[in-house]
Amino acid sequence: MLHLANARLRVDILDPQESGLNGVPRFCPAGFIWQVHHVTAGPLLAGPEWPNPTPDPFNGQGLPEAFRHRTREGSPLTWKGDEGLAVGTGVLKRSSTGETTLVSRCEWEIIPLHERALFKTTHEALGHRYELLRLVELQHSSLISVSSLANQGDSPITLQWFAHPFFTLTEGLIKAGLPDGTSLAENPGFALSDNCLTQKRRFHDVKDGHFDQLKLPAEKNLEARLSHPALNQIDFSTSFPPDECVIWGNANTFSIEPYLSITLAPGEVRQWQLRYDFGMSSGTSSPSFNSRTPAP
């Protein structure tokens, strides 16, 4: 586990070489923010299995990000036959029975800086070559996550990226302020009124929840203000207009997931960032969280 800290916050980041994320990781192993601790309010983030101290690595916790090698519907993006490129993770192999395994991993260089951690990999496989940089930076009460992907090969790279932050519920519920012009179709899980997203009911357990999509105003960056049991708020924002925006929650957490659809021509570079602004302590402590890494 790697750590960043200042007078307000401590950030736990998984070591991409020793993260315990065996099998085929769902999330990028570099810059995987596992937990953020407030100096007085305690741990601030959740996960689908909270408070399980060793959650399934597929579910994770904290503020993970992912580079998809297939769409949510299962269509291949960075696959050639039975081999796939998982950007930031390694090379995948699909067996005759449909099982996917990770056959080789990316090698990550970790460059610790003052209140920052920089992760760098250059990977060549399946006719592609790319450089991926992941930067996590602590600024007072804010946490910045930056990704930079450069196509250094001779063929285009097409993939999807998404963030999957796991926010904490307050008495089993979430409230989120969203940009003007946001809309949400009628559904059984969430309601949107006057740009405020709420739950229609408390979910009962890990498997009870709801998945849906927000329609955000065109060409505008995402800005969301989320409730928190131990802070007055958490502000979450993107440096880009999301191509899609998913919302999901269960009895333990809520997530708002901005997506990017990326196609990089040879020589092209794309950079984007997320920002989390952690508000003032409300004077209460968060419910007990576990900040351990997942078990191997």
Side-chain angles (χ1 to χ4, degrees), residues 130-291:
Y130 66 88
E131 179 184 75
L132 177 60
L133 302 178
R134 293 279 295 115
L135 174 68
V136 178
E137 182 171 4
L138 187 56
Q139 298 179 356
H140 304 290
S141 293
S142 299
L143 189 60
I144 314 297
S145 174
V146 181
S147 297
S148 178
L149 180 62
N151 185 355
Q152 298 181 340
D154 298 323
S155 58
I157 299 176
T158 297
L159 51 75
Q160 289 181 333
W161 167 95
F162 71 102
H164 205 323
F166 294 115
F167 296 109
T168 310
L169 305 178
T170 301
E171 298 182 351
L173 298 171
I174 196 71
K175 182 181 291 185
L178 297 170
D180 289 342
T182 302
S183 62
L184 175 67
E186 179 61 30
N187 69 87
F190 299 103
L192 181 64
S193 178
D194 295 328
N195 300 322
C196 182
L197 181 78
T198 56
Q199 288 176 223
K200 291 185 175 180
R201 64 181 180 89
R202 287 179 174 84
F203 302 124
H204 298 299
D205 53 37
V206 172
K207 295 183 179 180
D208 181 28
H210 186 72
F211 171 99
D212 224 299
Q213 291 195 51
L214 295 174
K215 185 176 181 181
L216 299 175
E219 304 303 321
K220 289 189 177 181
N221 299 351
L222 171 64
E223 295 181 351
R225 173 163 290 180
L226 297 112
S227 58
H228 192 278
L231 303 178
N232 63 337
Q233 65 200 34
I234 295 178
D235 289 335
F236 171 48
S237 60
T238 68
S239 66
F240 55 88
D243 294 310
E244 293 182 275
C245 192
V246 166
I247 52 173
W248 174 85
N250 69 1
N252 301 322
T253 191
F254 169 79
S255 187
I256 181 167
E257 308 169 32
Y259 271 70
L260 278 177
S261 297
I262 299 171
T263 296
L264 293 181
E268 190 174 359
V269 180
R270 178 80 181 265
Q271 180 172 302
W272 63 97
Q273 77 171 40
L274 305 174
R275 182 182 181 98
Y276 301 89
D277 296 305
F278 296 92
M280 300 292 292
S281 172
S282 61
T284 60
S285 296
S286 294
S288 177
F289 283 80
N290 191 292
S291 61

Side-chain angles (χ1 to χ4, degrees), residues 64-93:
E65 302 175 29
F67 292 87
R68 297 191 68 103
H69 48 86
R70 292 183 182 274
T71 66
R72 287 199 307 273
E73 296 74 25
S75 299
L77 292 169
T78 51
W79 283 78
K80 289 187 176 181
D82 292 330
E83 292 185 304
L85 176 66
V87 168
T89 299
V91 176
L92 308 175
K93 180 76 172 179

Side-chain angles (χ1 to χ4, degrees), residues 4-11 37 39 115 138-142:
L4 303 177
N6 61 20
R8 298 173 177 86
L9 300 174
R10 189 186 87 233
V11 182
H37 305 262
V39 64
E115 295 188 359
L138 187 56
Q139 298 179 356
H140 304 290
S141 293
S142 299

